[in-house]
Coordinates of all heavy atoms in Angstrom, one line a residue:
C11 N -14.6 -8.2 -3.4 CA -13.6 -7.7 -4.3 C -12.9 -6.5 -3.6 O -11.6 -6.4 -3.8 CB -14.3 -7.2 -5.5 SG -14.9 -8.5 -6.6
A12 N -13.6 -5.7 -2.8 CA -12.9 -4.6 -2.1 C -11.9 -5.2 -1.1 O -10.8 -4.6 -0.9 CB -14.0 -3.7 -1.5
C13 N -12.4 -6.2 -0.4 CA -11.5 -6.8 0.6 C -10.2 -7.4 -0.1 O -9.1 -7.2 0.5 CB -12.2 -8.0 1.3 SG -13.4 -7.5 2.5
D14 N -10.3 -7.9 -1.3 CA -9.2 -8.4 -2.0 C -8.2 -7.3 -2.4 O -7.0 -7.4 -2.3 CB -9.6 -9.2 -3.2 CG -8.5 -10.2 -3.6 OD1 -7.9 -10.9 -2.7 OD2 -8.3 -10.4 -4.8
A15 N -8.8 -6.2 -2.8 CA -8.0 -5.0 -3.1 C -7.3 -4.5 -1.9 O -6.1 -4.1 -1.9 CB -8.9 -3.9 -3.7
F16 N -8.0 -4.5 -0.7 CA -7.4 -4.1 0.5 C -6.2 -5.0 0.9 O -5.2 -4.5 1.4 CB -8.4 -4.0 1.6 CG -7.8 -3.5 2.9 CD1 -7.6 -2.2 3.1 CD2 -7.6 -4.4 4.0 CE1 -7.1 -1.7 4.3 CE2 -7.0 -3.9 5.2 CZ -6.8 -2.6 5.3
R17 N -6.4 -6.3 0.7 CA -5.3 -7.3 0.9 C -4.1 -6.9 0.1 O -2.9 -6.9 0.6 CB -5.8 -8.7 0.6 CG -4.7 -9.7 0.6 CD -5.1 -11.0 0.0 NE -5.4 -10.8 -1.4 CZ -4.5 -10.7 -2.4 NH1 -3.2 -10.7 -2.2 NH2 -5.0 -10.5 -3.7
L18 N -4.3 -6.6 -1.2 CA -3.2 -6.2 -2.0 C -2.5 -4.9 -1.6 O -1.3 -4.8 -1.6 CB -3.7 -6.1 -3.5 CG -2.6 -5.7 -4.5 CD1 -1.4 -6.7 -4.5 CD2 -3.2 -5.7 -5.9
F19 N -3.3 -4.0 -1.2 CA -2.8 -2.7 -0.6 C -1.9 -3.0 0.6 O -0.8 -2.4 0.6 CB -4.0 -1.8 -0.3 CG -3.6 -0.6 0.6 CD1 -2.9 0.4 0.0 CD2 -3.9 -0.6 1.9 CE1 -2.5 1.5 0.8 CE2 -3.6 0.5 2.7 CZ -2.8 1.6 2.2
M20 N -2.4 -3.8 1.5 CA -1.6 -4.0 2.7 C -0.3 -4.8 2.4 O 0.8 -4.5 2.9 CB -2.4 -4.8 3.7 CG -3.6 -4.1 4.3 SD -3.2 -2.6 5.2 CE -2.4 -3.4 6.6
E21 N -0.4 -5.7 1.5 CA 0.8 -6.5 1.1 C 1.8 -5.5 0.4 O 3.0 -5.6 0.6 CB 0.4 -7.6 0.2 CG -0.3 -8.7 0.9 CD -0.8 -9.8 0.0 OE1 -0.5 -9.7 -1.3 OE2 -1.3 -10.8 0.4
S22 N 1.3 -4.6 -0.5 CA 2.2 -3.8 -1.2 C 2.9 -2.8 -0.4 O 4.1 -2.5 -0.6 CB 1.4 -3.0 -2.3 OG 0.5 -2.1 -1.8
I23 N 2.3 -2.2 0.6 CA 2.9 -1.2 1.5 C 3.9 -1.9 2.5 O 4.7 -1.2 3.1 CB 2.0 -0.3 2.2 CG1 1.0 -1.0 3.1 CG2 1.2 0.5 1.1 CD1 0.2 0.0 4.0
A24 N 3.6 -3.2 2.7 CA 4.5 -3.9 3.7 C 5.7 -4.5 3.0 O 6.7 -5.0 3.6 CB 3.7 -5.0 4.3
G25 N 5.7 -4.5 1.6 CA 6.8 -5.1 0.9 C 8.1 -4.3 0.8 O 8.1 -3.0 1.1
A26 N 9.2 -4.9 0.4 CA 10.5 -4.2 0.4 C 10.5 -3.1 -0.6 O 11.2 -2.1 -0.4 CB 11.6 -5.3 0.1
R27 N 9.8 -3.3 -1.7 CA 9.8 -2.2 -2.7 C 9.3 -0.9 -2.2 O 9.9 0.2 -2.4 CB 9.0 -2.7 -3.9 CG 9.1 -1.8 -5.2 CD 8.3 -2.3 -6.3 NE 8.4 -1.5 -7.5 CZ 7.7 -1.7 -8.6 NH1 6.8 -2.6 -8.6 NH2 7.9 -0.8 -9.6
F28 N 8.1 -0.9 -1.5 CA 7.6 0.3 -1.0 C 8.4 0.8 0.3 O 8.5 2.0 0.5 CB 6.1 0.2 -0.6 CG 5.6 1.5 -0.1 CD1 5.4 2.6 -1.0 CD2 5.2 1.7 1.2 CE1 4.9 3.8 -0.6 CE2 4.8 3.0 1.6 CZ 4.6 4.0 0.7
R29 N 8.9 -0.1 1.1 CA 9.7 0.3 2.2 C 10.9 1.2 1.8 O 11.2 2.2 2.4 CB 10.2 -0.9 3.0 CG 9.1 -1.6 3.8 CD 9.7 -2.4 4.9 NE 10.7 -3.4 4.5 CZ 10.4 -4.6 4.1 NH1 9.2 -5.1 4.1 NH2 11.4 -5.4 3.7
A30 N 11.5 0.8 0.7 CA 12.6 1.6 0.2 C 12.1 3.0 -0.3 O 12.8 4.0 -0.1 CB 13.3 0.9 -1.0
L31 N 10.9 3.0 -0.9 CA 10.4 4.3 -1.3 C 10.0 5.1 -0.1 O 10.1 6.4 -0.1 CB 9.2 4.1 -2.3 CG 9.6 3.5 -3.6 CD1 8.3 3.0 -4.4 CD2 10.3 4.5 -4.5
R32 N 9.4 4.5 0.9 CA 8.9 5.2 2.0 C 10.2 5.9 2.7 O 10.1 7.0 3.2 CB 8.2 4.3 3.0 CG 7.5 5.0 4.2 CD 7.2 4.1 5.3 NE 6.1 3.2 4.9 CZ 4.8 3.5 5.1 NH1 4.4 4.6 5.5 NH2 3.9 2.6 4.7
D33 N 11.3 5.1 2.8 CA 12.5 5.7 3.4 C 13.0 6.9 2.6 O 13.6 7.8 3.2 CB 13.6 4.6 3.4 CG 13.3 3.5 4.4 OD1 12.4 3.7 5.2 OD2 13.9 2.4 4.2
A34 N 12.6 7.0 1.3 CA 13.0 8.2 0.6 C 11.9 9.3 0.6 O 12.1 10.3 -0.1 CB 13.2 7.8 -0.9
G35 N 10.9 9.1 1.4 CA 9.8 10.1 1.6 C 8.5 9.9 1.0 O 7.6 10.7 1.0
A36 N 8.3 8.7 0.3 CA 7.1 8.4 -0.4 C 5.9 8.2 0.6 O 6.1 7.7 1.7 CB 7.2 7.2 -1.3
R37 N 4.7 8.5 0.1 CA 3.5 8.3 0.8 C 2.8 7.0 0.2 O 3.0 6.8 -1.0 CB 2.5 9.4 0.7 CG 3.0 10.8 1.2 CD 2.1 11.9 0.8 NE 2.6 13.2 1.0 CZ 2.4 14.0 2.0 NH1 1.7 13.5 3.0 NH2 2.9 15.2 2.1
P38 N 2.0 6.3 1.0 CA 1.3 5.2 0.4 C 0.2 5.7 -0.5 O -0.3 6.8 -0.3 CB 0.7 4.5 1.6 CG 0.6 5.5 2.7 CD 1.8 6.4 2.5
Q39 N -0.1 4.9 -1.5 CA -1.2 5.3 -2.4 C -2.5 4.7 -1.8 O -2.8 3.5 -2.0 CB -1.0 4.7 -3.8 CG -2.0 5.0 -4.9 CD -1.8 4.2 -6.1 OE1 -1.7 3.0 -6.1 NE2 -1.8 4.9 -7.3
R40 N -3.2 5.5 -1.1 CA -4.4 5.0 -0.4 C -5.5 4.6 -1.3 O -5.7 5.1 -2.4 CB -4.9 6.1 0.6 CG -4.0 6.4 1.7 CD -4.7 7.2 2.8 NE -5.0 8.6 2.4 CZ -5.8 9.4 3.0 NH1 -6.4 9.0 4.1 NH2 -6.0 10.6 2.5
L41 N -6.3 3.6 -0.8 CA -7.5 3.2 -1.5 C -8.6 4.1 -1.2 O -8.9 4.4 0.0 CB -7.8 1.7 -1.1 CG -7.2 0.6 -1.9 CD1 -7.4 -0.7 -1.2 CD2 -7.8 0.5 -3.3
V42 N -9.4 4.4 -2.2 CA -10.7 5.1 -2.1 C -11.8 4.2 -2.4 O -11.8 3.6 -3.5 CB -10.7 6.4 -3.0 CG1 -12.1 7.1 -2.9 CG2 -9.6 7.3 -2.8
W43 N -12.7 4.0 -1.5 CA -14.0 3.3 -1.7 C -14.9 4.2 -2.4 O -15.5 5.1 -1.8 CB -14.5 2.7 -0.5 CG -13.6 1.9 0.3 CD1 -13.3 2.1 1.7 CD2 -12.8 0.8 -0.1 NE1 -12.3 1.1 2.1 CE2 -12.0 0.3 1.0 CE3 -12.6 0.1 -1.3 CZ2 -11.1 -0.7 0.9 CZ3 -11.7 -1.0 -1.4 CH2 -11.0 -1.4 -0.3

């Protein structure tokens, strides 16, 4: 289950939606185990 969450995390920060936010200064929402 944690691996699947990590997959979603990686996909989300690689996507266009977050790239636009990162360009505006956003930080990734890190996963905490």
Side-chain angles (χ1 to χ4, degrees):
C11 290
C13 285
D14 203 40
F16 183 76
R17 173 195 59 78
L18 179 56
F19 166 71
M20 294 297 290
E21 290 176 357
S22 68
I23 64 172
R27 191 177 179 191
F28 183 69
R29 286 201 306 271
L31 292 167
R32 189 195 292 271
D33 289 344
R37 304 171 191 263
Q39 183 189 50
R40 289 193 293 167
L41 272 167
V42 177
W43 306 125

